[in-house]
C-alpha cells in the first residue's frame, strides 16, 4: 500500500473527493481503476494459482503458460546427480575411460537392472484413505485421475504432486469410447486445479479408441494388456502393456512380476485400482499390506529403478531417440543430433558410456561419474565425442546402441 500510494494510485492520508477521483468524468475513473487493477492483479494471482486451489488465469501467451506448468508433475529429484535420477548399484570408484573415443552406449533404465512403475487408476477413495501409507513407502507412483469423479477435487492430489508423485489423465467420464473432448476436459481439470502439465495417460478399460487420441496429446499412454517393455523393444508407446493383479492378490504374486522384469532386464508397469475399503468399491482391490510388502521386496533387490510413469517413459523414449540417430563424423570428432518426440517433458537426462575421449554438449565437457557413466541432457539435442587433448586423434568407427540389445 505504501508503494502504491507513492506512485499515486491512492493516498494513504485522507484527501478531498476531487483528489480521490470522485466526481471525475467516467472515462477518467475507468482509466484510474484499470491502472490500479493492472498493478495489483499480477501480485495476487500467482499466489492463488500456486496454492493449487483454483483456476489458472487466462494466459496471453499459451505456450509460455504451458512451459511454466511443465516444470511440475515430472517427478522428484532422487539424488544429487545433475539428472536427479537415483544412483544405480555398483562400485563408486570407477576410473574415467581412457581408450579410443568411440562406442557410445546408452545405459538402459538409468543404469539399473530393470524398472518398475506402479500406476493407480480412477483416483478412488481407497487410494485417498491409504495415501499417507503410500507416501511412507518412499517410491514415486502415478495416479490416473478420472476427473468427473467427486474425489478428483480432493486436496490429497495437490499434496501428491508436492510429494513427487505424478498425476495422469484417465479421461473425465471413463467411457468405453474415447472422445477428444473428454480427454481434454481431464487435462484441463488437472491444469486448472494444480497448475501443471499432464504428460501421460491411461486408457479406460484399455479401449482401443484411446491410443490414437493419446498420440497427439501425451508422451505415452498405458493400456491393460500384460507384458514387459524392453529398452529396445518395438513397443507402441501409446498402448504400453501393464500387469493388473487379480482381486486380493498376495504379495508373492506381485513379487514374481518384479522378478520377471529383473530376469529379462525390462520395465514392468503395474495397473492397480485401489485397496479393500473405501466408499466407491475399487475394481479388483488388493490388500494394502500385500502391496506394501511387494514394494518393500522390490526396493530390497537394490537393482530395480522404481519411479513414476513420466520419469521412466521419458528415459525410455529418450534413449530410443538417441539410439536411432545417425552420428556425423568430422575429422576425429563425432556428433549425434536427435529430435525428441512430441509432448516430451523438459529437463530429462540419459546416462551413457564411451571407451574414451571427451563427451561435451554446447561446448561444455560432461563430468565423469565414478559409478561409471556420463549424464547427457536430452534438451540439448546434440552430443559431441572428441579425442582428449593429450591423446592424438585415432581412426575409429563410431556407433551407438542400447546396452543389453
Amino acid at each position: 500500500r505504501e508503494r502504491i500510494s507513492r506512485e499515486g494510485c491512492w493516498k494513504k492520508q485522507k484527501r478531498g473527493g476531487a483528489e480521490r477521483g470522485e466526481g471525475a468524468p467516467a472515462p477518467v475513473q475507468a482509466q484510474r481503476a484499470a491502472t490500479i487493477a493492472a498493478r495489483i492483479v499480477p501480485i495476487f494471482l500467482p499466489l492463488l494459482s500456486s496454492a493449487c486451489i483454483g483456476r489458472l488465469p487466462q494466459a496471453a501467451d499459451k505456450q509460455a503458460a504451458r512451459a511454466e506448468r511443465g516444470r511440475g508433475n515430472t517427478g522428484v529429484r532422487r539424488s544429487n546427480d545433475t539428472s536427479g535420477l537415483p544412483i544405480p548399484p555398483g562400485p563408486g570408484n570407477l576410473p574415467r575411460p581412457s581408450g579410443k573415443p568411440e562406442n557410445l552406449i546408452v545405459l538402459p533404465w538409468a543404469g539399473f537392472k530393470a524398472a518398475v512403475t506402479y500406476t493407480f487408476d480412477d483416483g478412488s477413495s481407497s487410494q485417498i484413505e491409504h495415501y499417507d501409507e503410500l507416501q511412507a513407502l518412499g517410491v514415486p507412483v502415478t495416479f490416473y485421475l478420472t476427473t468427473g469423479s467427486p474425489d478428483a477435487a480432493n486436496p490429497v492430489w495437490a499434496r501428491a504432486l508436492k510429494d513427487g508423485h505424478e498425476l495422469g489423465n484417465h479421461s473425465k467420464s471413463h467411457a468405453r469410447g474415447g472422445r477428444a473432448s473428454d480427454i481434454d476436459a481431464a487435462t484441463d481439470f488437472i491444469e486448472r486445479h494444480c497448475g501443471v502439465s499432464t504428460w501421460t495417460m491411461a486408457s479406460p478399460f484399455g479401449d482401443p479408441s484411446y491410443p490414437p487420441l493419446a498420440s497427439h496429446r501425451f508422451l505415452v499412454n498405458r493400456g491393460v494388456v500384460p507384458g514387459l517393455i524392453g529398452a529396445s523393444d518395438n513397443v507402441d508407446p501409446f498402448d504400453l502393456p501393464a500387469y493388473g493383479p487379480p482381486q486380493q492378490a498376495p504379495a508373492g504374486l506381485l513379487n514374481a512380476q518384479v522378478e520377471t522384469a529383473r530376469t529379462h532386464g525390462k520395465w514392468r508397469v503395474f495397473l492397480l485400482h485401489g485397496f479393500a475399503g473405501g466408499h466407491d468399491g475399487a475394481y479388483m482391490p488388493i490388500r494394502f499390506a500385500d502391496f506394501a510388502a511387494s514394494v518393500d521386496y522390490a526396493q530390497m533387490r537394490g537393482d530395480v529403478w522404481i519411479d513414476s510413469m513420466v520419469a521412466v517413459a521419458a528415459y525410455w523414449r529418450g534413449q530410443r531417440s538417441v539410439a536411432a540417430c545417425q552420428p556425423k563424423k568430422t575429422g576425429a570428432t563425432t556428433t549425434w543430433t536427435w529430435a525428441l518426440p512430441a509432448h516430451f517433458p523438459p529437463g530429462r537426462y540419459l546416462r551413457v558410456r564411451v571407451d574414451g575421449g571427451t563427451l561435451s554438449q554446447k561446448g561444455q565437457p560432461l563430468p565423469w561419474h565414478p559409478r561409471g557413466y556420463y549424464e547427457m541432457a536430452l534438451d540439448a539435442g546434440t552430443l559431441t565425442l572428441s579425442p582428449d587433448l593429450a591423446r592424438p586423434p585415432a581412426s575409429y568407427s563410431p556407433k551407438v546402441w542400447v546396452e543389453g540389445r
Side-chain angles (χ1 to χ4, degrees):
R1 182 175 178 179
E2 289 287 342
R3 178 178 64 79
I4 294 174
S5 67
R6 286 198 300 271
E7 294 175 356
C9 286
W10 69 65
K11 303 298 182 181
K12 185 177 180 182
Q13 297 82 10
K14 185 176 181 180
R15 299 292 178 90
E19 292 186 65
R20 292 194 301 268
E22 296 175 7
V28 175
Q29 292 184 2
Q31 182 178 6
R32 289 175 178 172
T35 300
I36 294 173
R39 297 186 179 186
I40 294 177
V41 168
I43 297 173
F44 292 102
L45 274 181
L47 299 177
L48 295 174
S49 62
S50 64
C52 193
I53 56 174
R55 291 185 62 89
L56 291 173
Q58 291 293 328
D61 185 343
K62 293 185 178 181
Q63 289 185 341
R66 185 169 182 83
E68 180 67 23
R69 292 192 300 268
R71 297 178 184 177
N73 206 22
T74 57
V76 64
R77 290 186 62 83
R78 309 285 299 282
S79 73
N80 289 326
D81 275 10
T82 302
S83 66
L85 293 167
I87 303 296
N93 57 352
L94 297 176
R96 181 176 177 273
S98 58
K100 295 180 180 181
E102 59 185 14
N103 297 339
L104 178 67
I105 301 172
V106 180
L107 304 183
W109 318 131
F112 288 80
K113 187 174 185 178
V116 164
T117 294
Y118 297 103
T119 66
F120 290 87
D121 286 9
D122 304 338
S124 66
S125 60
S126 65
Q127 297 170 28
I128 296 172
E129 290 176 3
H130 286 279
Y131 178 76
D132 288 339
E133 296 163 277
L134 280 167
Q135 171 61 15
L137 295 176
V139 298
V141 304
T142 297
F143 296 101
Y144 285 116
L145 302 185
T146 301
T147 60
S149 165
D151 284 328
N154 193 293
V156 74
W157 306 124
R159 180 182 165 197
L161 279 173
K162 293 179 181 179
D163 289 338
H165 304 291
E166 178 193 4
L167 299 185
N169 187 311
H170 201 42
S171 81
K172 177 182 178 180
S173 64
H174 204 285
R176 287 194 177 273
R179 291 179 291 110
S181 60
D182 196 54
I183 295 172
D184 293 342
T187 294
D188 291 344
F189 179 94
I190 295 171
E191 291 184 351
R192 282 190 290 109
H193 282 74
C194 292
V196 294
S197 293
T198 308
W199 301 105
T200 73
M201 179 181 176
S203 297
F205 305 105
D207 192 278
S209 61
Y210 284 98
L213 296 169
S215 66
H216 299 292
R217 291 167 169 80
F218 303 102
L219 175 67
V220 294
N221 175 65
R222 196 218 66 214
V224 300
V225 177
L228 291 167
I229 304 162
S232 57
D233 288 353
N234 188 26
V235 176
D236 183 356
F238 301 105
D239 194 18
L240 293 179
Y243 170 76
Q247 186 169 338
Q248 308 300 343
L253 190 59
L254 305 180
N255 296 347
Q257 302 302 317
V258 173
E259 283 305 317
T260 303
R262 293 180 68 233
T263 299
H264 296 281
K266 296 191 175 187
W267 178 21
R268 168 71 76 194
V269 178
F270 283 90
L271 188 177
L272 304 130
H273 289 85
F275 310 104
H279 63 75
D280 50 3
Y283 176 72
M284 301 292 278
I286 64 174
R287 291 176 289 270
F288 181 84
D290 287 307
F291 173 74
S294 184
V295 172
D296 288 342
Y297 176 89
Q299 291 187 90
M300 290 297 291
R301 302 311 96 189
D303 56 6
V304 179
W305 177 21
I306 307 174
D307 219 324
S308 63
M309 178 66 80
V310 65
V312 181
Y315 195 98
W316 175 64
R317 295 207 67 185
Q319 72 183 37
R320 289 175 60 170
S321 297
V322 173
C325 71
Q326 295 296 319
K328 179 181 179 181
K329 183 178 177 182
T330 304
T333 299
T334 306
T335 301
W336 290 265
T337 303
W338 59 88
L340 294 173
H343 312 293
F344 199 90
R348 302 288 100 179
Y349 288 78
L350 293 182
R351 287 173 172 162
V352 300
R353 291 180 186 145
V354 288
D355 290 352
T358 297
L359 281 173
S360 61
Q361 290 188 291
K362 305 297 185 182
Q364 297 297 317
L366 302 184
W368 170 253
H369 195 292
R371 289 277 182 174
Y373 51 81
Y374 299 92
E375 292 193 322
M376 52 173 278
L378 286 167
D379 288 343
T382 63
L383 177 72
T384 300
L385 176 62
S386 56
D388 288 329
L389 295 178
R391 203 173 282 115
S395 61
Y396 59 95
S397 177
K399 54 185 176 180
V400 58
W401 69 90
V402 176
E403 190 176 69
R405 178 178 290 179

